Amino acid sequence: MSRMSENKRRIHIIGPRVLSALAALLLAGGTLAGCGARIPSADPEHEINYYVVYQPSDLDPQTVFDVGNMPIVGLFSESVMSRNEEGRLIYGLADRYEKSEDGCLYTFHIRDDARWSDGVPVTAADFVFGWQRVVNPDTASNASFLFLNCMKLEGVEEIFYQHAPLDTLGIHAVDDHTFTVSLLEPCPYLLDLLVNNAFSPCREDFFYAHKGEYMKKAGAFLSCGAFVPDYYEPLGMQLHLSKNPYYYDAEIVQVSGVNVQVLSDQQQLIMSFEKGEADIIPISGEQQEVAQGDPRLTEIPGALIYYVIPNLDNEIFGNRNIRRAMALCVNRDEIVNSLLRAGNYPLTRIIPEGIVFEEDGTDFGGDPDQFADLCGYQPELARSYWEKGLQELGITKVTAEFLTSSESNTFMDILKKEWEKNLPGFSMKYRVVPPKAYNQELHDGHFDLALTGWSADYADPTAYLALFTPDNYANVGHYNSPAFNKVFAESAAVPLALDPQARMEKLHEAERILMEEMAVIPAVTVGEARMVSDRVKGVYMGALVPHVNFKYAVKEAK
Amino acid sequence: MRKYILKRLLISAATLFVMLVILFLLLELMPGSPFNDVKLSPEQRAVLEAKYGLDKPVWERLGMYIGNALRGDFGVSYVLAKDVPVSSLLSSRVGVSIRIGLFSLFIGTFVGLVIGFAAALWQGKLPDKIGMAISVIGLSVPSYVFAVLFCYFLGFKWKWFPLIYDLRRPVTSAMLPILASGVMIVSVIARFTRDETLRVMQSDYVLFARCQGISRWNVIINYILRNALLPIVTVMGSLVISLLTGTLVIEGMFAVPGIGSFMGTAISGNDYNVILALSFVYSVIYVVVMLGVDLIYGILDPRIRIAGK
């Protein structure tokens, strides 16, 4: 075979193979490019790249009720009330309201320039439809908690539990711009509660035109807030919102849009932030060491409190001296400084600092050391209570079972270490159950001790104190104190319900009873820490709904 | 051959059916409810469970589920993407995972083949040593570590590629996840190719061809390469499976909206329908890959066809 024909043969063999490999690569490249989506972005330079850990799972304002989704829903939904850049209560879609003398009838007036993102005016009927959707059992909204447990709205229980007609709900449109809210009992914190997205309006014609897809894909979003989502895939990693041109305060909104990116990997988050791809990132306790002293590290106080629940049905933990002893040797500083870090604070009371403000502006939980004598770290004092408790019970040893849903229990390990070190005869073992079975185990009372959390949905002491009423479902430790029940009931009834200052004094009394009886053992207030770029200013990030607000934000050019 | 294919198809279908039933029952055995919010009272939870039919007996639900699944309806998500049909959640995600997976398979196989051949042809020399060092490192170090290194150097320090997957830049932002999952493929293919090539090079027919006076490169391309390539089909099957499990970590790290990152969220959210459908998709991919390997082998190796009769 001549050399030439050999070469030809080689080309003949290799040619098609190389060509087909190249074609395959090109095809793969093409399909890769095809994965892209058209994310509208008018002015990326003035857009905020907001990185979050939790994947948005539901963006329907009437059904969302969790801390992962609410901050995002808050960007495009608003109710009659809202919060300013400092987190203080201001009017939202309403510009005034009237309250009846008995505190049971509210009349809200919708502002004239309130419009939906398609330019159609927001009407009272939209509010009526929105509220009816939440309490309709067919909607199966988690946010029904706010309507069923946080206020006594007329007709709500009959609708939710007995399928009564929706128009029996205590919200009625008087005219296009006015609606009334009828309550069975006064609700002193109603205005604050109404900031929640579940109380925002929902337009019936739009909802039915997009039934099945409402708030589930771009084009099926209708916003009455500062921004409007224009790219969204359920459970996607990216969500894009643009400025809503019809928003009543559109003039003061300076950022052109918000690009929400889901990312859970901490190293990637930090690199994205340092590279300038991200403007705001969450930063976990372990990673905060790299950000120590960095002025861009921002602490966001939380409304979430963590506490140890003793099972009061258990004879040992039903003993007040035993509980007091345990509360006095919880090393909260160690938990915060070595584990949780920025954004988290030791908690030695029930109402945390910076959440609830009284009429005169006083912070209800402003004195973190108010109950330090009952709950501060005092191992010596703890031992005396412990011995007293053991004597009363006639025992010398206590073995406790701590219910947990995690194999990694650094938090509980700190508690265990201190208790076993300071309380003679005390030993503790963990009982680990799957996370989704955890709440059931708690409710069934299958525990001696458990660590759990509770977050306030509105800025009022009752957002926490109601947990300890005997009929509250979340009162899993079965705390039932006649003294507390009496004081709490008085605070909720007329005349105190209509006298804000006297009511607050009563609620201070209620908190003191809880602390003296050590109904639960407070541990920490859990907040968050985020890194915020130097270029971004005026972002509200707070403990209460809407949690994040870019309405007043500015992003400076590079 | 037709009988062989039919038999394989039937076995695969039966496997998938049994898998679906087992998955359903396993999820049933897991304690807890998808509606697990501490703030929900038992009455509120009962309303939610009734809405999604979770209050019905297990056998009734199993029957309904399988009936619907056969029609392509995997129900709706309860928790993760409330009321969104699971099939639509999956369809957008499966594509991204498959595209990125295929691309790393293509690139990884190509690079692996080149390294493997070079190592075999220059056995004991520098290309062999470098190639095998790459292969050993690639096999022994988890792809997560490579992902971190690539991110730091290629994404952060030198700014060649975006750090995470960005739908606005689907090609450049897919490079880091492709590279990260491609390392394992390069290593496996390189090692396998080297061994196979050496085996073929020592065979009698290669010696015979060389004795006939056929040029070295002609022997390499037409005798060695072709025969060494065939057994690689076997590794490809298991590589696709490793790629699938690898996506669980890689996708989460690069925020790729694929099925890997989805699985973890679904399990922790206790979203029954999503977990079921996702596990089913994984099973389908596994069974299809295995079926493909069986069939290709059947075509390549007549002995298997005969044994299958």
Side-chain angles (χ1 to χ4, degrees):
Chain A
M1 201 186 290
S2 75
R3 192 162 184 84
M4 217 172 135
S5 64
E6 196 185 305
N7 277 347
K8 251 188 194 167
R9 195 175 159 213
R10 195 187 306 161
I11 291 163
H12 176 75
I13 295 162
I14 299 173
R17 285 191 187 168
V18 172
L19 279 179
S20 54
L22 275 176
L25 278 175
L26 282 174
L27 195 72
T31 49
L32 208 59
C35 318
R38 281 180 193 280
I39 297 187
S41 180
D43 181 9
E45 260 306 291
H46 291 98
E47 235 172 53
I48 292 184
N49 291 303
Y50 173 52
Y51 281 43
V52 295
V53 169
Y54 297 105
Q55 210 162 23
S57 56
D58 179 14
L59 296 182
D60 183 342
Q62 266 76 44
T63 57
V64 162
F65 191 52
D66 65 272
V67 286
N69 292 307
M70 275 154 84
I72 293 167
V73 171
L75 299 177
F76 63 88
S77 75
E78 201 169 297
S79 180
V80 282
M81 302 307 289
S82 179
R83 284 188 215 281
N84 66 8
E85 62 267 53
E86 282 147 12
R88 293 296 162 97
L89 196 65
I90 54 167
Y91 282 114
L93 291 175
D95 56 8
R96 62 185 200 283
Y97 78 98
E98 289 107 35
K99 185 167 76 166
S100 66
E101 260 182 39
D102 65 355
C104 289
L105 183 73
Y106 284 74
T107 308
F108 289 96
H109 302 273
I110 302 166
R111 41 192 312 153
D112 292 337
D113 52 357
R115 281 173 198 278
W116 291 101
S117 48
D118 59 357
V120 174
V122 174
T123 65
D126 300 336
F127 278 94
V128 175
F129 183 68
W131 289 31
Q132 287 179 349
R133 265 196 75 215
V134 184
V135 300
N136 185 344
D138 295 336
T139 308
S141 168
N142 282 358
S144 57
F145 170 86
L146 295 167
F147 286 74
L148 289 158
N149 301 58
C150 300
M151 61 173 178
K152 296 268 180 210
L153 182 63
E154 221 174 68
V156 65
E157 294 199 356
E158 292 78 359
I159 294 171
F160 193 78
Y161 298 122
Q162 293 148 29
H163 287 261
L166 290 173
D167 58 10
T168 55
L169 189 68
I171 174 169
H172 300 283
V174 178
D175 58 43
D176 273 357
H177 286 276
T178 319
F179 68 90
T180 57
V181 174
S182 317
L183 304 171
L184 299 172
E185 282 173 15
C187 177
Y189 49 84
L190 181 75
L191 296 182
D192 207 283
L193 186 66
L194 291 185
V195 178
N196 196 293
N197 45 267
F199 298 97
S200 66
C202 172
R203 206 169 83 205
E204 194 171 359
D205 65 323
F206 188 89
F207 175 77
Y208 283 113
H210 295 85
K211 199 154 175 28
E213 291 179 340
Y214 181 69
M215 301 286 183
K216 286 182 175 57
K217 67 172 207 182
F221 282 94
L222 191 61
S223 161
C224 56
F227 300 93
V228 55
D230 45 19
Y231 175 78
Y232 173 63
E233 279 270 339
L235 277 179
M237 298 299 211
Q238 272 174 295
L239 160 74
H240 188 271
L241 302 103
S242 290
K243 181 178 167 177
N244 174 7
Y246 292 102
Y247 183 54
Y248 63 85
D249 254 352
E251 278 174 22
I252 64 164
V253 179
Q254 296 204 32
V255 292
S256 63
V258 182
N259 179 44
V260 182
Q261 171 71 54
V262 181
L263 182 62
S264 51
D265 191 279
Q266 272 295 324
Q267 282 166 337
Q268 286 279 65
L269 279 167
I270 291 172
M271 283 197 278
S272 299
F273 180 75
E274 293 295 351
K275 195 181 168 188
E277 286 177 9
D279 294 317
I280 301 173
I281 59 159
I283 183 160
S284 72
E286 297 144 20
Q287 301 293 328
Q288 279 177 26
E289 267 181 42
V290 294
Q292 282 294 319
D294 192 324
R296 297 170 300 173
L297 181 69
T298 311
E299 287 192 61
I300 299 134
L304 174 65
I305 57 166
Y306 262 83
Y307 48 88
V308 175
I309 313 178
N311 188 347
L312 303 188
D313 293 338
N314 178 312
E315 197 195 351
I316 296 168
F317 301 101
N319 183 295
R320 189 174 70 165
N321 286 320
I322 294 287
R323 298 197 299 273
R324 275 190 166 178
M326 294 180 83
L328 284 165
C329 50
V330 172
N331 194 341
R332 297 168 180 85
D333 288 333
E334 188 188 345
I335 295 172
V336 171
N337 298 334
S338 68
L339 183 68
L340 305 172
R341 298 173 197 255
N344 304 285
Y345 302 94
L347 180 73
T348 51
R349 55 186 303 160
I350 302 293
I351 316 289
E353 196 180 346
I355 304 297
V356 184
F357 293 89
E358 299 175 27
E359 283 287 294
D360 58 0
T362 318
D363 185 350
F364 191 97
D367 179 7
D369 298 325
Q370 191 179 340
F371 300 103
D373 56 329
L374 295 166
C375 212
Y377 182 62
Q378 299 163 80
E380 282 300 315
L381 187 60
R383 206 161 297 144
S384 65
Y385 278 119
W386 180 254
E387 275 153 17
K388 215 164 140 189
L390 291 183
Q391 213 169 19
E392 284 166 4
L393 292 164
I395 53 173
T396 52
K397 275 187 183 156
V398 172
T399 308
E401 197 177 72
F402 203 109
L403 184 71
T404 167
S405 60
S406 166
E407 292 288 348
S408 154
N409 297 311
T410 325
F411 194 124
M412 277 84 103
D413 286 343
I414 298 176
L415 298 173
K416 180 177 155 75
K417 182 189 77 184
E418 290 291 334
W419 286 335
E420 289 183 342
K421 185 176 83 184
N422 295 308
L423 307 175
F426 179 86
S427 65
M428 186 172 108
K429 57 178 196 267
Y430 298 117
R431 186 160 73 86
V432 186
V433 294
K436 54 195 159 20
Y438 181 77
N439 282 334
Q440 197 54 52
E441 289 290 304
L442 271 185
H443 289 300
D444 294 344
H446 297 154
F447 68 99
D448 294 332
L449 298 166
L451 182 72
T452 191
W454 184 266
S455 181
D457 299 301
Y458 51 92
D460 189 78
T462 54
Y464 297 100
L465 300 178
L467 253 174
F468 301 95
T469 51
D471 54 351
N472 192 304
Y473 175 64
N475 180 1
V476 289
H478 293 162
Y479 174 75
N480 190 356
S481 148
F484 174 81
N485 296 346
K486 180 173 173 280
V487 170
F488 190 82
E490 279 170 10
S491 77
V494 180
L496 286 189
L498 299 173
D499 180 349
Q501 202 51 48
R503 176 174 171 271
M504 284 295 169
E505 279 161 26
K506 206 50 144 180
L507 292 171
H508 272 295
E509 199 182 325
E511 190 188 14
R512 171 153 284 281
I513 295 172
L514 288 179
M515 290 307 298
E516 279 170 355
E517 298 191 344
M518 210 50 75
V520 291
I521 301 166
V524 286
T525 312
V526 177
E528 263 187 273
R530 294 203 180 114
M531 298 290 284
V532 181
S533 159
D534 296 335
R535 294 173 60 200
V536 176
K537 307 265 184 298
V539 181
Y540 163 73
M541 291 186 282
L544 293 162
V545 185
H547 301 293
V548 178
N549 192 348
F550 294 122
K551 180 173 162 179
Y552 308 96
V554 181
K555 185 172 173 183
E556 291 163 3
K558 265 184 192 166
Chain B
M1 184 68 190
R2 194 178 294 164
K3 202 172 166 190
Y4 171 76
I5 294 176
L6 199 70
K7 193 175 165 188
R8 289 280 129 196
L9 281 173
L10 279 174
I11 291 175
S12 303
T15 312
L16 285 176
F17 179 79
V18 172
M19 207 112 71
L20 194 63
V21 174
I22 293 176
L23 283 170
F24 188 93
L25 295 177
L26 276 179
L27 274 177
E28 266 316 305
L29 288 175
M30 280 164 70
S33 154
F35 310 107
N36 203 28
D37 194 309
V38 68
K39 295 187 177 177
L40 289 177
S41 69
E43 295 83 16
Q44 286 159 13
R45 208 164 65 193
V47 169
L48 292 173
E49 286 181 349
K51 183 190 166 177
Y52 295 105
L54 293 174
D55 53 343
K56 295 196 172 73
V58 54
W59 296 114
E60 196 180 328
R61 278 188 291 125
L62 175 65
M64 269 166 57
Y65 186 83
I66 289 174
N68 290 336
L70 288 176
R71 290 194 295 270
D73 173 10
F74 287 92
V76 294
S77 162
Y78 309 139
V79 187
L80 297 177
K82 214 173 152 100
D83 293 341
V84 179
V86 175
S87 45
S88 82
L89 282 178
L90 283 177
S91 59
S92 61
R93 292 182 153 254
V94 170
V96 180
S97 291
I98 289 184
R99 282 177 199 131
I100 290 187
L102 275 183
F103 210 75
S104 35
L105 199 67
F106 274 131
I107 294 184
T109 310
F110 181 74
V111 177
L113 282 174
V114 171
I115 294 179
F117 279 129
L121 294 181
W122 286 281
Q123 193 194 358
K125 305 217 171 78
L126 194 64
D128 188 20
K129 284 176 183 158
I130 295 176
M132 285 311 98
I134 293 174
S135 175
V136 167
I137 294 171
L139 279 173
S140 46
V141 179
S143 49
Y144 178 79
V145 178
F146 286 107
V148 174
L149 289 174
F150 288 148
C151 282
Y152 182 71
F153 288 104
L154 306 183
F156 181 65
K157 216 163 173 188
W158 303 330
K159 298 190 170 66
W160 289 2
F161 304 114
L163 279 163
I164 54 165
Y165 188 77
D166 186 343
L167 288 164
R168 291 170 296 188
R169 293 172 286 180
V171 177
T172 48
S173 66
M175 287 306 152
L176 290 182
I178 287 171
L179 287 175
S181 42
V183 175
M184 180 264 299
I185 297 166
V186 170
S187 315
V188 174
I189 296 281
R191 205 165 178 82
F192 203 82
T193 310
R194 178 186 179 270
D195 295 350
E196 272 307 307
T197 312
L198 285 177
R199 191 183 60 79
V200 175
M201 276 165 78
Q202 284 151 13
S203 63
D204 294 343
Y205 59 83
V206 169
L207 187 66
F208 182 65
R210 288 290 287 148
C211 292
Q212 273 190 318
I214 302 174
S215 76
R216 182 168 183 245
W217 281 104
N218 199 345
V219 171
I220 289 172
I221 290 163
N222 292 320
Y223 291 78
I224 300 176
L225 226 147
R226 187 181 265 179
N227 286 298
L229 273 176
L230 293 180
I232 288 175
V233 174
T234 349
V235 220
M236 295 293 262
S238 53
L239 272 181
V240 172
I241 309 302
S242 325
L243 255 184
L244 274 181
T245 41
T247 53
L248 294 174
V249 181
I250 296 292
E251 287 191 359
M253 194 169 164
F254 291 99
V256 177
I259 48 172
S261 53
F262 197 10
M263 190 67 170
T265 340
I267 293 173
S268 55
N270 208 18
D271 204 333
Y272 291 162
N273 284 347
V274 179
I275 306 174
L276 262 174
L278 263 176
S279 320
F280 187 65
V281 166
Y282 270 98
S283 314
V284 168
I285 296 176
Y286 191 90
V287 168
V288 167
V289 169
M290 285 307 159
L291 179 71
V293 170
D294 277 358
L295 293 183
I296 292 172
Y297 247 74
I299 295 165
L300 295 178
D301 191 343
R303 284 169 299 180
I304 290 175
R305 280 203 303 271
I306 294 158
K309 271 182 183 170

